[in-house]
Structures are given as structure tokens and as C-alpha cells.
Amino acid sequence: MRIIVGFLLLVSMQLNAQNNTLNFFRENYIKAVSDKKLCLQMIKELEELKGEPIFLAYLGGLQSVKANHVFNPIKKLSTFNRGKSNIEKAVKLSPTNPEIRFIRLSIQKNVPGFLGYKNNIQEDIKLINSNQFAISSNVVLQHIEELIKK
């Protein structure tokens, strides 16, 4: 009995820590657009987290944002493409997750058209609108509202 209680406590602590980590990325995602140091810090932390599609999506979103902080055009494009690839992997792993779709939408609505990464905007808006009930974070809901108004 003690082993089961101990195991459940350990799992609960791990889930709580993971939720706190996710909240950090949620709260700072938009700030990373204008804060290079924060963007790089968050990427470094996300590169160490494995397994969850939501963390892969945030990694991809931030890698795409990092392209704004890179001067060299070749590095800028490769950084963006790495982020785009990670976002698309996350979407494939969890295709109905509205938060992952928000991350992709946030990039597609703000990326220059010549990069050719604007083809899922309406699809993502539709999925987000029909699945907003699944988003428990008020921060993410606020970001979505601001993004869709644009």
C-alpha cells in the first residue's frame, strides 16, 4: 500500500512540475519575440524536454521566432525551417490540440509571405474555435483572442 501511495505521490509531483514548466513557456512565448535573451533561454530549456508534443510545438515556435534575432540570411532561413519542422511534427503527433494549433497560427500569421508558410491559417482558426474548451490556460486563451483579432 505504501508503495502505491508513494508512486502516486511521485507521479503527482512530476505532473505538477511539468505543468509549472508549461506555464512558464505559455506566459513568456509572446515576450520572446522582442527579447532575444529570453527566446534563447527558452529554446535551451525546451531542447532538454522530450516526449510531449506541446513542448515540441513551443520549441518550434520559438525557433521560428529566433529567426528574427538572427542577422545572417542563411542562418535566419535555416533557423526558421528548423522551427517550422518541429511545429509540423507536433501537429502530426497531436492534430486536435488547439494550443499546438495556436502556436502554428501565431507563426503563420506573422511570417513573411515569401516563405510560403501561411497555408493552414483558416484550418487552425476553425480547429481552435471549435476546441477552445480544451484550453485550461487563461494566458493561452488571451493570446488566441489577440492573435485572431489581427
Side-chain angles (χ1 to χ4, degrees), residues 26-88:
R26 287 171 169 161
E27 292 169 5
N28 290 291
Y29 178 67
I30 302 299
K31 295 175 189 172
V33 172
S34 59
D35 188 334
K36 180 180 179 179
K37 184 177 177 183
L38 177 63
C39 183
L40 296 175
Q41 173 198 347
M42 290 170 65
I43 289 171
K44 184 177 179 181
E45 290 179 29
L46 283 162
E47 287 174 338
E48 296 174 10
L49 296 172
K50 302 287 183 210
E52 294 294 323
I54 190 66
F55 291 125
L56 182 61
Y58 274 107
L59 174 62
L62 288 163
Q63 287 169 327
S64 298
V65 166
K66 179 184 172 188
N68 289 330
H69 302 300
V70 174
F71 179 72
N72 181 305
I74 295 169
K75 287 184 180 180
K76 187 181 282 269
L77 183 59
S78 69
T79 299
F80 171 77
N81 284 333
R82 188 168 43 255
K84 174 182 164 184
S85 174
N86 282 329
I87 292 169
E88 292 304 319

Side-chain angles (χ1 to χ4, degrees), residues 115-130:
L115 290 173
Y117 192 52
K118 291 186 172 279
N119 50 339
N120 304 103
I121 292 174
Q122 293 308 315
E123 171 191 339
D124 289 347
I125 290 172
K126 183 178 178 182
L127 186 131
I128 289 166
N129 284 335
S130 63

